[in-house]
Amino acid sequence: EYAQIRGAITGITLLSSSPRISRNDISKNDTGLSISDPFSAPDIKNNVISENRLTGVMVLAGGSPVLEGNEIKYNSNEGIASENSSPVISHNTISNNGNCGIKSFLSSPKVIENNIHDNGKFELYNSDPKGELVTANNNWWGSSDISEIVSGISGKVDYGTSLDGPY
């Protein structure tokens, strides 16, 4: 807790581990956090994950973290990238990331009650060729205008209900 992690290739790497990472500044690395392997189910809570040169949070190879209450912003590519994993993403602010807020590939993330807005090309991009559904209900997408919400989402995403304002 209460650490400042900067200037690394990867700020924090979790392999088959499930610690609680909370109240840290994880900024200005190549990748902020990398979480992988099926036994990785950490609690990542109340951190600032920003200004990383590539991705804020990378979840791979069966990782299933809980990402809650974080500010994930100003990362050059994605705020969160999920590949072959199943993270729970809730109560975060995911904004101003270069390419997209959340990118999912062959994953089944649960994206619930977040503020996801002002990201590059997409707020949420599901690039899964097999059509794995990403659940993303009750989020604030920076607007209550359905056409604006739809234009920021790509791929098979269930966003049937959205919030009228920030959670």
Side-chain angles (χ1 to χ4, degrees):
E1 285 188 305
Y2 303 105
Q4 186 176 66
I5 301 161
R6 293 182 174 211
I9 292 171
T10 303
I12 298 173
T13 300
L14 301 175
L15 299 170
S16 296
S17 59
S18 301
R20 180 183 176 117
I21 308 285
S22 65
R23 296 180 180 89
N24 300 290
D25 176 5
I26 306 167
S27 302
K28 298 183 181 177
N29 303 288
D30 284 350
T31 298
L33 277 141
S34 177
I35 303 161
S36 64
D37 296 331
F39 296 108
S40 287
D43 286 330
I44 310 298
K45 296 185 177 179
N46 304 310
N47 299 284
V48 174
I49 303 167
S50 68
E51 299 180 64
N52 293 290
R53 287 177 286 284
L54 299 174
T55 301
V57 180
M58 180 80 69
V59 185
L60 307 164
S64 57
V66 173
L67 298 158
E68 185 177 338
N70 300 290
E71 289 182 44
I72 303 170
K73 58 188 181 180
Y74 298 108
N75 298 289
S76 294
N77 289 339
E78 297 88 18
I80 300 170
S82 176
E83 185 174 328
N84 291 308
S85 59
S86 55
V88 174
I89 303 166
S90 68
H91 300 106
N92 301 285
T93 295
I94 303 166
S95 65
N96 298 292
N97 295 290
N99 187 25
C100 58
I102 300 170
K103 181 178 180 182
S104 176
F105 178 72
L106 299 173
S107 293
S108 54
K110 304 290 183 253
V111 182
I112 304 159
E113 294 182 352
N114 298 281
N115 299 325
I116 308 170
H117 57 86
D118 298 318
N119 293 290
K121 190 171 181 181
F122 296 108
E123 308 301 343
L124 197 158
Y125 177 55
N126 183 2
S127 64
D128 188 345
K130 295 180 182 177
E132 183 76 36
L133 179 68
V134 173
T135 302
N137 286 302
N138 298 318
N139 293 288
W140 167 243
W141 301 100
S143 174
S144 57
D145 180 343
I146 192 67
S147 64
E148 286 186 42
I149 294 170
V150 169
S151 71
I153 297 173
S154 179
K156 194 171 180 183
V157 178
D158 175 6
Y159 56 91
T161 57
S162 59
L163 299 177
D164 294 356
Y167 77 88

